[in-house]
Amino acid sequence: MSFDHDAPIEIMWSGKYIEAKRKGRWEFVGRANNIGAAVIVAIDGDHILLVEQYRVPLGAPCLELPAGLVGDIDAGETVEASAARELEEETGYRPDRIEVIGRFASSPGMVSETFTLVKAHGLTKTGDGGGEAHEGITVHHIPLVEVPAFIAAKRAKGCFIDAKLLLLLANEIVAPVSC
């Protein structure tokens, strides 16, 4: 019985940022040029920073944690440096320190991309954020206690919610039910 892990990877199609690949019977998508991603949990006192932007693959806006590519501008850039740069660009907040939480996969049956989850500490507001002009990022500075209601309201208005926000809803989802 073959599990395909010994098969060579074939590049079926390659673009600037992604590649469609095949390994044995598996077809999947991955980042081109080994570019990674950093996803940032940025808590400012009792508030969290979230971003919202239109996502072409979804055809709708999506509420997300701030994030960005690692190595797309400078191949030698560290995850920490990239996360700090992306956080300030997207939200207008600069961190004093970035703590690496770990590496995660968001859809491992279809996408080889992984991301490094980091936590930003010591935030200082330096500007309005919003990313680059073509990104159209809206910054949300939400009280932590209001996150579940905020997410529910955004979903009700047709906004997609990035699965990484389940991190913020864990207590709502797995809290014991009282009888």
Side-chain angles (χ1 to χ4, degrees):
M1 182 197 270
S2 171
F3 293 103
D4 296 325
H5 46 61
D6 291 332
I9 293 178
E10 301 172 66
I11 305 297
M12 308 308 296
W13 175 87
S14 184
K16 183 175 181 181
Y17 296 106
I18 61 171
E19 296 174 332
K21 303 175 182 184
R22 181 172 37 223
K23 184 175 175 98
R25 297 169 292 150
W26 284 91
E27 294 177 344
F28 58 98
V29 177
R31 289 270 179 207
N33 303 315
N34 295 316
I35 293 174
V39 176
I40 307 138
V41 176
I43 298 175
D44 182 32
D46 60 353
H47 289 66
I48 189 156
L49 295 170
L50 301 176
V51 294
E52 179 180 340
Q53 65 182 313
Y54 182 87
R55 292 298 195 177
V56 172
L58 300 175
C62 188
L63 187 65
E64 309 168 4
L65 291 169
L69 297 177
V70 177
D72 61 330
I73 294 173
D74 175 3
E77 187 175 43
T78 65
V79 168
E80 295 88 346
S82 177
R85 175 181 51 78
E86 289 285 352
L87 181 64
E88 187 168 11
E89 178 185 296
E90 289 192 1
T91 69
Y93 284 81
R94 179 183 307 133
D96 286 339
R97 181 173 64 89
I98 295 288
E99 171 190 2
V100 173
I101 304 299
R103 192 167 152 212
F104 297 86
S106 55
S107 188
M110 189 173 101
V111 179
S112 64
E113 177 187 43
T114 60
F115 64 90
T116 302
L117 184 67
V118 302
K119 186 172 181 182
H121 296 274
L123 303 180
T124 301
K125 186 156 177 63
T126 60
D128 293 333
E132 297 177 20
H134 68 278
E135 291 179 305
I137 294 173
T138 301
V139 180
H140 298 286
H141 190 254
I142 308 300
L144 288 165
V145 297
E146 295 177 18
V147 166
F150 181 78
I151 289 174
K154 283 293 184 180
R155 182 180 289 118
K157 290 181 179 176
C159 190
F160 278 90
I161 309 300
D162 188 314
K164 293 175 221 59
L165 291 188
L166 290 171
L167 169 75
L168 304 175
L169 298 175
N171 289 338
E172 298 283 318
I173 294 169
V174 297
V177 178
S178 58
C179 297

